[in-house]
Amino acid sequence: MYRKSLLTTVIAGLFLAPLAQAAVSADEAAKLKTTLTPLGAEKAGNKDGSIPSWEGGLTKAPAGYKNGDPRPDLFPGEKPLLSINAKNMAQYDAKLTDGVKALMKKYPDFRIEVYPTHRTAAAPKYYYDETFKNATQAKLVDNGQGVEGALGGIPFPIPKDGYEVILNHRLAFTGVTVQSPLRVWVMTSDGKRTMASGGTQTFQRVWAEPNLATSKFDGYYSLGKFTVSEPGSKAGEAILAHDGINASTPRGLWQYLVGQRRVRKSPSVGYDTPDSVTSGIGLFDEAFNLFGPIDKHELKLVGKKEIYIPYNNNRAALAKVADLVTPNTLNPSQVRWELHRVWEVEATLAPGKRHVVAKRKYYIDEDSWQIILFDGWDAKGDLWRTNYTLALVAPDIPAVLGNFFWGGYDLQTGAYYLNMATNELPVQVKVLPTLERSFFSPEELANEGTR
């Protein structure tokens, strides 16, 4: 009995732990030029044609588009193919996440409007080329938290475990240097909409720079700065994040607090600390659907499946705030859902670790490698949270942006939020030239705060 129990434990541990052999063979990698897209998705559509084949995505800006303009609805004449709500959800059960079904049960008026699927995701050719090289060279390090042998592309386009899939999400292409004004909208359980924060977010995705192979890459794949301008009680606050590719480049986090008039390191801006930007409804590690280390959970790759997810939501990004952020849920008539193939990764609390969300299920779009939906359960095993991104299409970059227009529902309190929203603002997501590193330094943060 002891030997049988020990064998079961060992097998389970091998299944959950990151695999030692990460890189794929040259023969497998060759599929990236035939049956798979350059980033590793299945190029062909599904059997019944409800998911079409990938034909290169959208890579050309709409006529008349100017950098920073709100991007137009790319499919304005389309009508929903079907509407799913609490009354008919059983018919589509296999293609719905637990969180979506919970929203339907909780709110009888909630529904998802399903439109024709468009595989719009794309990236620059250099990102495809580096992804092909990475496929046979990349390997997991730091117990699945980091990667070596990869540079400037998706590290594991043909993934073998959940750690590889999550690292692909971290390094998904969302442009190089982009900046956007934004507002964070909160809807309370009693139907009151308030603006929790407003300001400017700047990202520099160093990993996506086209000259990365010849530059002096210091191991920090992403630099981010959020400066708050409204409401008045928060104006002047700022958060700075430097995210490293492995343990040799430890994460850097700083905050500028107006009351203290100084910049301080903020290790608490992570994990299950309530996110002040969302008035505490969200958690810091839920930001952008994944923010910071995930070493408190073990990851298991469940597999790939077809589900309905929010996608190609340029129309929602153009809506008036009052028309989109409505009581109980985002307005179903404003949000576009489509059928896509996703990778499902299950995260369970690691032995000896503490986190208020004991289990999560992540759903990662196969075309863009971005988390589109995820659900979270509390320590009692009750479904607690369901998070989303509306997936904005930016063919001018070209990319599908999952790090804007994201948010989450607290299924237990009834509150929800929409973060990184540019609705009714004159500028959306603007592409910038590469910024000097000093722009993302704690010293510059301090200088800005004292001006």
Side-chain angles (χ1 to χ4, degrees):
M1 289 293 292
Y2 171 77
R3 292 180 63 187
K4 182 177 180 181
S5 175
L6 179 61
L7 180 61
T8 301
T9 301
V10 170
I11 292 174
L14 290 173
F15 190 57
L16 289 170
L19 298 176
Q21 63 279 14
V24 302
S25 68
D27 287 343
E28 279 190 282
K31 296 177 182 178
L32 297 169
K33 297 182 181 294
T34 56
T35 58
L36 301 178
T37 73
L39 296 185
E42 295 175 49
K43 187 175 289 185
N46 61 359
K47 290 183 179 179
D48 66 8
S50 54
I51 297 176
S53 61
W54 184 80
E55 303 295 342
L58 294 184
T59 59
K60 185 178 180 180
Y65 173 80
K66 295 182 179 61
N67 185 22
D69 286 351
R71 291 164 179 84
D73 181 3
L74 300 174
F75 313 106
E78 290 188 348
K79 304 296 182 183
L81 300 173
L82 65 142
S83 180
I84 306 173
N85 56 30
K87 294 180 180 179
N88 65 349
M89 61 187 283
Q91 182 181 346
Y92 304 98
D93 184 78
K95 291 182 170 65
L96 300 173
T97 63
D98 294 316
V100 169
K101 288 184 283 188
L103 287 172
M104 290 179 178
K105 292 176 182 177
K106 186 176 181 68
Y107 305 113
D109 293 335
F110 176 71
R111 66 189 188 280
I112 65 171
E113 303 283 0
V114 180
Y115 288 77
T117 298
H118 295 278
R119 297 178 69 180
T120 51
K125 184 179 182 302
Y126 71 84
Y127 215 73
Y128 296 155
D129 294 341
E130 294 303 319
T131 296
F132 184 75
K133 296 176 187 177
N134 291 342
T136 55
Q137 300 173 2
K139 63 178 181 179
L140 292 169
V141 296
D142 304 326
N143 198 31
Q145 302 297 307
V147 59
E148 288 182 352
L151 202 63
I154 295 298
F156 305 105
I158 306 175
K160 304 300 182 183
D161 73 7
Y163 293 86
E164 294 181 359
V165 172
I166 292 299
L167 277 164
N168 287 348
H169 161 80
R170 290 193 187 282
L171 302 172
F173 185 81
T174 55
V176 182
T177 305
V178 297
Q179 187 177 75
S180 179
L182 62 95
R183 288 171 176 162
V184 184
W185 297 98
V186 167
M187 179 61 69
T188 61
S189 58
D190 56 359
K192 294 180 180 179
R193 181 180 56 251
T194 59
M195 186 184 65
S197 303
T200 301
Q201 176 75 56
T202 307
F203 292 112
Q204 188 143 292
R205 302 284 288 178
V206 181
W207 187 262
E209 292 178 359
N211 62 344
L212 190 64
T214 58
S215 67
K216 295 181 179 180
F217 178 57
D218 63 0
Y220 287 97
Y221 69 88
S222 180
L223 309 172
K225 180 161 70 173
F226 175 53
T227 55
V228 180
S229 57
E230 53 183 335
S233 60
K234 293 184 177 180
E237 293 181 3
I239 296 176
L240 183 68
H242 294 181
D243 283 299
I245 199 65
N246 53 42
S248 64
T249 47
R251 193 174 197 226
L253 285 165
W254 297 266
Q255 271 186 303
Y256 179 80
L257 299 176
V258 177
Q260 298 180 13
R261 296 184 64 81
R262 68 183 182 90
V263 173
R264 64 180 181 86
K265 288 189 174 182
S266 296
S268 62
V269 179
Y271 294 115
D272 54 2
T273 302
D275 184 356
S276 56
V277 177
T278 64
S279 295
I281 299 175
L283 307 176
F284 270 119
D285 66 0
E286 295 174 337
F288 316 107
N289 283 323
L290 180 60
F291 185 57
I294 51 171
D295 54 326
K296 293 193 176 184
H297 292 83
E298 294 179 331
L299 304 182
K300 169 187 170 183
L301 180 58
V302 178
K304 189 183 284 188
K305 63 193 301 185
E306 296 178 8
I307 63 170
Y308 297 116
I309 60 175
Y311 215 90
N312 294 319
N313 268 292
N314 290 24
R315 179 165 60 94
L318 295 171
K320 292 183 178 180
V321 174
D323 292 337
L324 178 63
V325 185
T326 52
N328 298 330
T329 68
L330 294 174
N331 186 348
S333 66
Q334 296 289 344
V335 180
R336 181 188 180 104
W337 295 71
E338 297 180 359
L339 183 67
H340 285 261
R341 286 184 294 241
V342 300
W343 292 97
E344 181 181 353
V345 174
E346 186 173 283
T348 54
L349 197 61
K353 300 288 187 178
R354 297 180 62 184
H355 195 289
V356 294
V357 183
K359 184 177 80 170
R360 286 178 173 143
K361 287 184 180 180
Y362 294 99
Y363 299 95
I364 300 95
D365 170 38
E366 70 162 346
D367 287 331
S368 69
W369 286 113
Q370 293 179 79
I371 297 169
I372 305 295
L373 295 172
F374 77 86
D375 298 330
W377 285 258
D378 63 19
K380 297 179 181 179
D382 295 328
L383 183 59
W384 178 16
R385 325 174 70 75
T386 184
N387 290 53
Y388 62 89
T389 179
L390 297 183
L392 177 75
V393 189
D396 53 293
I397 290 180
V400 167
L401 301 178
N403 55 345
F404 289 86
F405 298 98
W406 51 267
Y409 292 92
D410 186 323
L411 295 168
Q412 295 178 4
T413 68
Y416 80 91
Y417 65 94
L418 173 65
N419 205 329
M420 302 288 288
T422 64
N423 300 72
E424 301 182 60
L425 298 176
V427 176
Q428 197 180 71
V429 183
K430 187 175 184 178
V431 177
L432 300 180
T434 300
L435 297 170
E436 295 292 333
R437 284 298 185 90
S438 59
F439 178 83
F440 297 95
S441 69
E443 293 77 17
E444 179 62 19
L445 203 66
N447 290 337
E448 292 175 0
T450 55
R451 289 171 188 166

